[in-house]
Amino acid sequence: MMLILLPVFGERFYIQFASKILIMIIFVSSLNLLVGFTGLVSLGHAAFFGSSGYVIALLSPIGTSMNLFVALLSSVLCVGALGAVFGALVLRTKGIFFIMSTLALGEMLFYFLHDTAFAGGSDGIYIHDRPGFNLFGWWQLDLSNVSHFYYLALILVCLVLMLIKRIMNSPFGRVISGIRVNEHRTKALGYHTYKFKLVCFVIASMIAAISGFLAAVQFGVVNPEMVGWHASGHALMMVILGGKGSILGPVLGTTTLMLVEEIFQVATKHWQLLTGIVVVLVALFFPNGLAGLNFPKKRPET
Amino acid sequence: MDAATVLIQAMNGIQYGLLLFLVASGLTLIFGIMGVINIAHGSFYMIGAYLAWSLMGWVGSFWIGLIVGVTVALLLGLVLEWLFIRFLYDRDHLQQVLVTYGLILIFSELRSMIWGDDVHSVPIPELLNGSIQLTENLAYPIYRLWLSGVCIVIAILMFLGIQHTRLGMMIRAGESDREMTKSLGINIGLVYRFIFALGVSLAAFSGMISAPISSVFPGMGSQVLIVSFVVVVIGGLGSIKGAMIAALLVGLIDTFGKVIHLDIFGVNIFPEMSGMSIFALMALILMLRPQGLFGRER
């Protein structure tokens, strides 16, 4: 309820900040699909987040605005194709090798966007006319309006969370969980695990594309940093902080970390130091994250 | 390109490859023996370079700075293993990645607090300042030759140390069966602590000796980390020999990629896209031989 009413009462800054959190929730959820549900620790997931932004920035015509649905769909499909290529490569490896090769491929994309002229180099590209949507001429969705943007992000978050829940409850999701727990056994049951992992990887990249699309449209700019591995590492922190492998974990982890970081940033210039300490402590002492915390219940007195 | 340019670039490539080997071997040792993925490895390289820069300012001698720096790195490695890494042996890779990622954030912020965010340069030590005349108008700096020599000596020492000493025996025993080695009365925890500290000081040492030929800048750690990952993926995890060959390959490809000019269909492939060449090599290896050139089938 509070989430729906926020734009009515909230100030511009808070609405924007809340939208940022919503965008990150989508991204972290897509990573959680890999890390938490399938057991694939990817350090290059930001490649899909960032490249989605680049797709929309390169496609956007100057002067007119694109139809929102066409824009979103083309982003998601392009990134899905990229995800299929990357996935087909990195899924040939396992464990620690997988971590290293995802990171390396993500960085390859970073250098590609950073070094070539058409992608605007280290400055990135501006999106001058954001995609919009016109409902039969009597209502216009304007994404430069912070409230409109917020509602779009909120709706997409709900859709994505429902989609992930649906996937995990389907027979496909069962196989995916089986791969996480014991891949050899799942294989022995007759499932072609490589194909299942690849499909899951592509789905995760497409969901990441939704968040990348929103992030690019929110401030109308993309830059190579969106693809870099620190963005992936940051999302990974949120996954484990919230508790991997639960639908609501990313919501909890993302919101908490972003709020905490905002407080740190106000408190000190060296906020990354504090973030680092928090991450180390969480990973060492609360490996199951906030969702896995068991608050000791009061024992009934005897 | 004439023959002399090719020769000089080849020497540069080999020298870069040898330096990469020093960094990547620490990474592959720590993983191969202890089973820990350490993504903070690049930070130690960065710390080494900054140490070299500030110690040069304090003590004025590159050589004393080198000794002090390596000692500091060794101690840092011992303390870090005791504080954090020893809890990670039985944990899954995700937690190892996160703890070491947290360390990256901590170190990069500490670096910014202690040394600032500026780019620095370290002068070449006087003893090695100069160059060897190859042809009439081509010369090669002595420092780069010395650097390659040092890397080769360390590689040989490492090989001999692991294959032919008592400590190396304990390390290899601990690698194949931790519990069994423990029950034979070997303090495996201590061996691990030593290995980790060794890896840290190798990375820091590489950072220190590379400081005079490249600038000292904040992002150098993650840059070298990513290239080392590529080296390890190409060479095969846990294989020192693989790390050596892959490092040389990556060094040569990266160096030549920056000097070759090549256009295909009007698109400038080299040097504009040379940053991608080593990743393309890695993708090729992943397609043909996912376990790496010298990796064991698993």
Side-chain angles (χ1 to χ4, degrees):
Chain A
M1 194 62 195
M2 261 179 68
L3 285 174
I4 297 172
L5 284 177
L6 179 77
V8 181
F9 302 111
E11 282 177 50
R12 192 184 161 82
F13 171 80
Y14 292 106
I15 302 171
Q16 272 183 343
F17 184 62
S19 305
K20 269 198 213 165
I21 293 181
L22 290 173
I23 294 169
M24 274 317 278
I25 288 176
I26 299 180
F27 181 46
V28 174
S29 296
S30 73
L31 184 59
N32 188 34
L33 195 59
L34 291 179
V35 176
F37 290 120
T38 324
L40 296 166
V41 181
S42 167
L43 252 183
H45 204 55
F48 307 119
F49 176 76
S51 57
S52 165
Y54 269 92
V55 169
I56 197 60
L58 289 170
L59 282 181
S60 294
I62 291 173
T64 56
S65 100
M66 239 175 142
N67 182 299
L68 173 72
F69 296 104
V70 176
L72 185 57
L73 200 66
S74 47
S75 262
V76 168
L77 289 180
C78 287
V79 173
L82 184 73
V85 175
F86 275 22
L89 279 175
V90 294
L91 286 171
R92 294 171 64 85
T93 62
K94 289 196 177 67
I96 209 159
F97 249 146
F98 181 83
I99 302 176
M100 291 183 175
S101 39
T102 48
L103 181 125
L105 277 186
E107 281 307 284
M108 177 174 97
L109 197 68
F110 173 84
Y111 283 114
F112 178 69
L113 296 171
H114 189 272
D115 294 345
T116 50
F118 82 92
S122 57
D123 296 335
I125 319 175
Y126 287 92
I127 303 171
H128 294 286
D129 296 284
R130 290 164 206 201
F133 173 62
N134 198 320
L135 194 67
F136 307 120
W138 48 269
W139 186 72
Q140 171 76 34
L141 178 79
D142 176 17
L143 290 183
S144 48
N145 178 320
V146 285
S147 308
H148 284 198
F149 185 86
Y150 174 83
Y151 284 121
L152 177 70
L154 189 63
I155 290 168
L156 285 173
V157 166
C158 296
L159 288 177
V160 163
L161 291 181
M162 271 152 57
L163 175 73
I164 291 179
K165 192 164 185 208
R166 183 77 194 77
I167 291 174
M168 289 323 292
N169 286 330
S170 69
F172 176 81
R174 305 260 181 244
V175 179
I176 290 294
S177 306
I179 291 175
R180 184 191 72 236
V181 178
N182 190 333
E183 186 171 350
H184 287 291
R185 203 171 283 173
T186 316
K187 224 177 205 163
L189 284 172
Y191 292 106
H192 198 311
T193 53
Y194 178 81
K195 275 185 198 158
F196 277 90
K197 286 196 284 186
L198 187 58
V199 170
C200 188
F201 197 86
V202 173
I203 295 175
S205 68
M206 288 165 114
I207 297 176
I210 299 176
S211 59
F213 171 84
L214 287 174
V217 169
Q218 184 178 22
F219 294 108
V221 62
V222 288
N223 59 51
E225 292 300 315
M226 283 172 72
V227 185
W229 72 287
H230 276 289
S232 306
H234 199 227
L236 207 53
M237 297 191 318
M238 296 178 186
V239 170
I240 200 166
L241 183 68
K244 57 179 169 147
S246 79
I247 309 267
L248 290 178
V251 180
L252 207 60
T254 308
T255 316
T256 314
L257 191 66
M258 287 189 73
L259 285 174
V260 166
E261 281 188 338
E262 195 66 24
I263 296 168
F264 285 169
Q265 279 181 39
V266 173
T268 162
K269 207 178 92 189
H270 302 291
W271 57 279
Q272 280 215 351
L273 185 69
L274 298 172
T275 312
I277 292 169
V278 168
V279 174
V280 170
L281 292 180
V282 168
L284 279 178
F285 298 111
F286 307 105
N288 295 322
L290 293 173
L293 276 187
N294 264 331
F295 292 103
K297 288 178 191 131
K298 256 191 189 163
R299 279 195 198 144
E301 282 174 38
T302 47
Chain B
M1 276 197 299
D2 52 32
T5 325
V6 172
L7 179 72
I8 290 218
Q9 293 306 332
M11 281 164 83
N12 279 343
I14 289 171
Q15 173 258 310
Y16 179 49
L18 286 167
L19 195 69
L20 278 179
F21 167 75
L22 277 199
V23 184
S25 61
L27 202 64
T28 198
L29 265 182
I30 291 175
F31 176 73
I33 294 167
M34 302 163 35
V36 170
I37 176 168
N38 172 24
I39 64 171
H41 204 64
S43 301
F44 304 131
Y45 178 84
M46 181 264 297
I47 290 174
Y50 272 91
L51 271 179
W53 175 70
S54 60
L55 286 170
M56 271 291 274
W58 288 342
V59 296
S61 156
F62 182 76
W63 308 106
I64 298 174
L66 211 56
I67 295 166
V68 176
V70 169
T71 317
V72 170
L74 207 61
L75 291 175
L76 179 72
L78 292 175
V79 171
L80 284 178
E81 201 275 350
W82 180 71
L83 271 177
F84 304 110
I85 309 295
R86 67 185 168 127
F87 300 109
L88 295 175
Y89 299 136
D90 305 324
R91 305 282 191 91
D92 59 27
H93 293 327
L94 178 61
Q95 287 156 33
Q96 300 172 349
V97 166
L98 276 163
V99 169
T100 46
Y101 185 72
L103 291 180
I104 293 182
L105 295 181
I106 294 173
F107 284 132
S108 92
E109 204 58 55
L110 284 178
R111 188 257 316 134
S112 150
M113 287 159 84
I114 298 172
W115 287 301
D117 294 325
D118 298 331
V119 176
H120 302 289
S121 66
V122 173
I124 291 176
E126 221 149 279
L127 194 61
L128 300 172
N129 203 353
S131 45
I132 292 174
Q133 211 69 26
L134 291 177
T135 59
E136 277 170 45
N137 43 16
L138 278 173
Y140 200 75
I142 296 178
Y143 185 80
R144 280 175 184 266
L145 285 177
W146 173 81
L147 198 154
S148 305
V150 168
C151 293
I152 292 171
V153 169
I154 290 179
I156 292 172
L157 282 180
M158 207 150 69
F159 181 76
L160 291 178
I162 289 179
Q163 294 299 331
H164 297 286
T165 63
R166 192 173 167 75
L167 180 69
M169 209 153 68
M170 287 192 231
I171 291 171
R172 279 178 292 141
E175 182 185 5
S176 46
D177 195 329
R178 185 180 151 91
E179 292 306 313
M180 198 64 202
T181 317
K182 233 181 189 167
S183 63
L184 287 173
I186 290 167
N187 188 344
I188 198 74
L190 213 59
V191 174
Y192 277 20
R193 189 163 302 161
F194 171 76
I195 293 287
F196 187 79
L198 190 73
V200 170
S201 30
L202 267 178
F205 180 75
S206 325
M208 296 177 87
I209 58 174
S210 74
I213 50 171
S214 67
S215 48
V216 179
F217 60 99
M220 64 191 301
S222 43
Q223 201 180 37
V224 85
L225 173 81
I226 287 149
V227 184
S228 316
F229 273 15
V230 173
V231 166
V232 172
V233 169
I234 291 176
L237 216 44
S239 160
I240 298 279
K241 187 172 73 175
M244 179 53 116
I245 290 169
L248 289 176
L249 212 58
V250 166
L252 284 171
I253 288 182
D254 189 66
T255 310
F256 276 103
K258 282 175 185 146
V259 290
I260 294 174
H261 287 270
L262 180 69
D263 288 281
I264 295 178
F265 302 125
V267 181
N268 184 307
I269 303 290
F270 291 112
E272 193 182 318
M273 295 192 187
S274 64
M276 288 174 63
S277 54
I278 57 167
F279 299 106
L281 176 72
M282 187 195 76
L284 190 73
I285 297 284
L286 282 179
M287 269 192 286
L288 301 175
R289 209 179 143 76
Q291 72 272 35
L293 290 177
F294 292 91
R296 275 160 291 185
E297 200 81 50
R298 50 183 88 212

